[in-house]
């Protein structure tokens, strides 16, 4: 079945460092891809999404590009802040009648001052 | 500020007791999801509803779990009897009818369940 694989954390960075969190997917169809973020004690929030190959999703300085040839959707940010410390989830949706979001295991990011 | 509301936020109970978790989706959202989050399994989809009708509950243990939407403003997830392995954070999420099947979900803050 469809699945998402994320790099394991925790990822520990200093403020203003460059961030990459890797995400690859397996899907039989042509999914939409998402990054959700979960801040401590809160529910998940949609960070960005992309619906077709070569689309770039972006929000709050984060970016991810839908790469069909490598089945990847890596999350990047040029300069992280302490406030970016959270768990980041990559997810896919098959966009079909099932309308299910399948999540990766999550990657904890800790940004130190 | 529209948001998904879940109650209780925390629940500690003993094995064998019944547990009911409630969710109020955002007004105008007609699709409601229940997810369970654990360290070992991550986020698992338990069930979801559209227009109050269950569309998929294949992720839910049928012998002890049940999910319902008595009306458009309330979704419930019940565990009876509860077991220690049910300890997890249970999230409710909703999706607007104006943008269906987009994967753009709004999550509540979760109900943290501990079964002793």
């Amino acid at each position: 079945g469809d699945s998402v694989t994320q790099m394991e954390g925790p990822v520990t960075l200093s403020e203003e460092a460059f961030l990459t969190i890797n995400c690859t997917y397996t899907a039989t169809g042509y999914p939409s891809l998402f990054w959700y973020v979960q801040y401590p004690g809160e529910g998940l929030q949609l960070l960005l999404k992309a619906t077709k190959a070569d689309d770039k999703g972006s929000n709050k300085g984060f970016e991810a590009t839908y790469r069909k040839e490598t089945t990847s959707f890596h999350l990047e940010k040029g300069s992280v802040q302490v406030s970016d410390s959270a768990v980041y989830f990559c997810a896919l949706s098959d966009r079909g009648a099932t309308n299910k979001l399948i999540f990766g295991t999550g990657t904890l990011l800790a940004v130190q001052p | 500020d529209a948001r998904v509301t879940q109650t209780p936020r925390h629940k500690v109970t003993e094995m064998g007791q019944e547990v009911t978790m409630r969710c109020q989706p955002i007004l105008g959202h007609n699709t409601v999801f229940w997810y369970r989050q654990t360290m070992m399994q991550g986020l698992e989809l338990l069930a979801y509803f559209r227009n109050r009708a269950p569309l998929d509950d294949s992720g839910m243990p049928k012998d002890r779990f049940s999910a319902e939407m008595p009306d458009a403003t309330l979704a419930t997830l019940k565990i009876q009897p509860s077991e220690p392995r049910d300890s997890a954070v249970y999230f409710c999420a909703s999706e607007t009818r104006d943008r269906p099947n987009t994967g753009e979900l709004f999550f509540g803050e979760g109900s943290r369940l501990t079964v002793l």
Side-chain angles (χ1 to χ4, degrees):
Chain A
D2 295 356
S3 65
V4 174
T5 302
Q6 288 181 239
M7 63 186 289
E8 290 195 16
V11 174
T12 304
L13 296 173
S14 297
E15 209 164 20
E16 299 184 1
F18 185 86
L19 168 71
T20 299
I21 300 178
N22 290 337
C23 171
T24 57
Y25 67 91
T26 301
T28 53
Y30 197 11
S32 291
L33 301 174
F34 306 81
W35 278 100
Y36 276 79
V37 58
Q38 184 180 26
Y39 297 102
E42 299 184 9
L44 282 71
Q45 304 172 25
L46 177 63
L47 181 60
L48 53 84
K49 67 179 283 189
T51 59
K52 60 183 186 296
D54 300 324
D55 263 4
K56 178 185 286 187
S58 62
N59 186 26
K60 300 181 180 180
F62 291 89
E63 294 182 339
T65 301
Y66 192 143
R67 300 289 188 199
K68 189 168 184 288
E69 63 277 11
T70 55
T71 62
S72 65
F73 193 55
H74 305 321
L75 182 68
E76 295 182 337
K77 187 176 185 183
S79 176
V80 294
Q81 305 299 313
V82 172
S83 58
D84 294 326
S85 298
V87 181
Y88 292 81
F89 291 89
C90 186
L92 67 81
S93 169
D94 64 7
R95 295 195 290 180
T98 60
N99 191 37
K100 293 181 184 180
L101 271 184
I102 296 170
F103 288 91
T105 53
T107 302
L108 173 64
L109 169 66
V111 181
Q112 299 175 337
Chain B
D1 187 21
R3 58 179 181 165
V4 176
T5 303
Q6 290 186 244
T7 57
R9 290 294 313 278
H10 302 275
K11 175 73 175 180
V12 179
T13 191
E14 293 188 348
M15 184 173 61
Q17 296 299 305
E18 177 179 301
V19 175
T20 299
M21 289 167 276
R22 295 177 174 81
C23 167
Q24 181 176 8
I26 294 172
L27 190 64
H29 286 204
N30 68 335
T31 307
V32 175
F33 302 81
W34 283 105
Y35 281 88
R36 176 170 63 185
Q37 185 179 40
T38 61
M39 290 293 294
M40 295 300 296
Q41 301 296 327
L43 273 164
E44 304 172 275
L45 177 64
L46 297 176
Y48 77 101
F49 296 77
R50 176 163 290 163
N51 296 322
R52 297 174 56 200
L55 291 190
D56 188 345
D57 61 2
S58 59
M60 206 164 63
K62 301 293 191 304
D63 56 339
R64 299 182 299 106
F65 284 61
S66 62
E68 295 180 343
M69 279 201 75
D71 62 61
T73 63
L74 177 65
T76 62
L77 179 66
K78 185 179 295 186
I79 308 174
Q80 168 62 22
S82 58
E83 297 181 0
R85 59 180 168 151
D86 301 328
S87 298
V89 181
Y90 291 82
F91 286 103
C92 175
S94 67
E95 183 181 62
T96 176
R97 63 165 51 91
D98 296 330
R99 290 174 56 79
N101 297 332
T102 60
E104 297 173 7
L105 305 188
F106 291 77
F107 281 77
E109 294 182 320
S111 293
R112 179 176 294 278
L113 173 64
T114 302
V115 183
L116 303 175

